[in-house]
Amino acid sequence: METLIKNVNILNPNEEIQTSCNVLIEDKHIKQISKKKVSTKNNVKIIDGQDNYLMPGFIDCHAHIMANGFHKEENMANPLALHFYNAIKHGKQTVDAGVTTIKDCGPADIGVKIAQKKGLFIAPKMEISVTPLVSTGGHFDLFLPSGFDMEIVYPGFPKGRCDGPLEVLKKTREIKRAGADFIKVMASGGVLTTNTSPDYPQFNVEELKTIVEEAHVNDLKVSAHCHSLKGINNCVDTGFDSIE
């Protein structure tokens, strides 16, 4: 199947803008870009670009496709299945915004990724972390002062709370087993969790080093949620791949 996009401007970050182009696509691959008339098959689908811009898809390096904000009251009251339907809505919105790949930093699981790959709903290509590693009492430890634990629990979705080198090692392996493409670590406090502060690091250097070594052995990148300068330095020193 061929598709011809006529009268479109090509925006490539590495080149000058190419104006008034024709772009021929065959079987989802760009076959030809030309300012001249392009020869096509008889059953070609023609789209008039109307002098608009055609560019590569954006990559969103920090997304939460299943989350509809982080509101404790709503999360406590709503059934777990609602989060998966959020992914359907947010996936379409993300694609419509020109984003074709996302790095989902939780809580999308392997089932959401498989559903997208099978075309069961419209969404960008996904790299997933499933659930973040969190220290007891740290950011995203959802055990509330009331004694209620808001941590998501269902088969295939490991708990992320862990402390000490042995526990973080096991949790890293569990998250890999759950289908994660990368490991996300809460390396400092945040603003949404009770009794934590963005100014202070979480996990010590030995714990962070253990996480990174185990992830890298398995060809997984490690991403940090981190605000504090001390936490950022700890992540740099222990070999994190990204800090967000």
Side-chain angles (χ1 to χ4, degrees):
M1 177 67 181
E2 285 187 340
T3 300
L4 178 64
I5 304 176
K6 300 171 59 178
N7 186 29
V8 71
N9 305 308
I10 307 297
L11 180 60
N12 187 329
N14 299 320
E15 301 174 0
E16 295 291 330
I17 296 176
Q18 302 179 58
T19 59
S20 303
C21 292
N22 298 309
V23 181
L24 181 63
I25 302 168
E26 184 174 5
D27 297 328
K28 298 183 179 181
H29 294 280
I30 295 175
K31 185 177 180 180
Q32 185 179 356
I33 298 175
S34 176
K35 289 181 175 291
K36 299 179 181 179
K37 184 177 180 180
V38 175
S39 59
T40 62
K41 298 176 182 178
N42 292 331
N43 62 341
V44 64
K45 177 182 178 181
I46 298 177
I47 299 173
D48 186 356
Q50 299 180 347
D51 201 34
N52 287 310
Y53 289 84
L54 184 66
M55 61 182 294
F58 288 107
I59 299 174
D60 186 340
C61 293
H62 193 114
H64 299 279
I65 197 168
M66 285 176 58
N68 194 31
F70 292 95
H71 308 290
K72 290 180 181 178
E73 294 81 5
E74 289 185 14
N75 290 340
M76 290 171 67
N78 291 330
L80 178 63
L82 185 61
H83 295 289
F84 293 94
Y85 286 96
N86 284 336
I88 296 173
K89 174 185 175 182
H90 298 155
K92 178 65 163 55
Q93 290 174 333
T94 305
V95 169
D96 288 346
V99 176
T100 54
T101 302
I102 63 170
K103 178 184 172 189
D104 189 276
C105 293
D109 72 345
I110 189 64
V112 176
K113 181 175 179 176
I114 291 172
Q116 183 276 332
K117 290 180 71 173
K118 287 188 173 183
L120 300 182
F121 73 108
I122 297 172
K125 176 185 175 183
M126 299 181 194
E127 297 290 301
I128 61 172
S129 62
V130 184
T131 189
L133 295 179
V134 303
S135 59
T136 298
H139 182 51
F140 222 68
D141 179 354
L142 300 178
F143 189 89
L144 305 182
S146 64
F148 184 84
D149 194 344
M150 289 179 56
E151 189 169 31
I152 297 174
V153 179
Y154 71 93
F157 196 91
K159 291 187 175 183
R161 191 185 297 129
C162 52
D163 302 283
L166 291 180
E167 282 193 15
V168 301
L169 175 64
K170 183 177 181 180
K171 287 298 178 183
T172 302
R173 291 174 176 174
E174 287 180 357
I175 291 171
K176 172 186 175 292
R177 181 179 63 186
D181 299 299
F182 67 98
I183 304 298
K184 179 181 177 180
V185 181
M186 296 300 193
S188 82
V191 297
L192 296 175
T193 307
T194 305
N195 296 327
T196 69
S197 169
D199 297 328
Y200 300 107
Q202 293 176 179
F203 292 116
N204 60 42
V205 170
E206 185 179 5
E207 291 168 327
L208 296 176
K209 185 177 180 181
T210 300
I211 295 166
V212 170
E213 288 180 350
E214 180 61 23
H216 286 177
V217 163
N218 290 281
D219 200 27
L220 299 179
K221 302 293 187 182
V222 187
S223 175
H225 162 104
C226 197
H227 297 280
S228 81
L229 179 59
K230 176 62 174 174
I232 290 171
N233 287 333
N234 287 345
C235 291
V236 171
D237 291 342
T238 53
F240 272 62
D241 299 287
S242 66
I243 301 172
E244 303 161 20

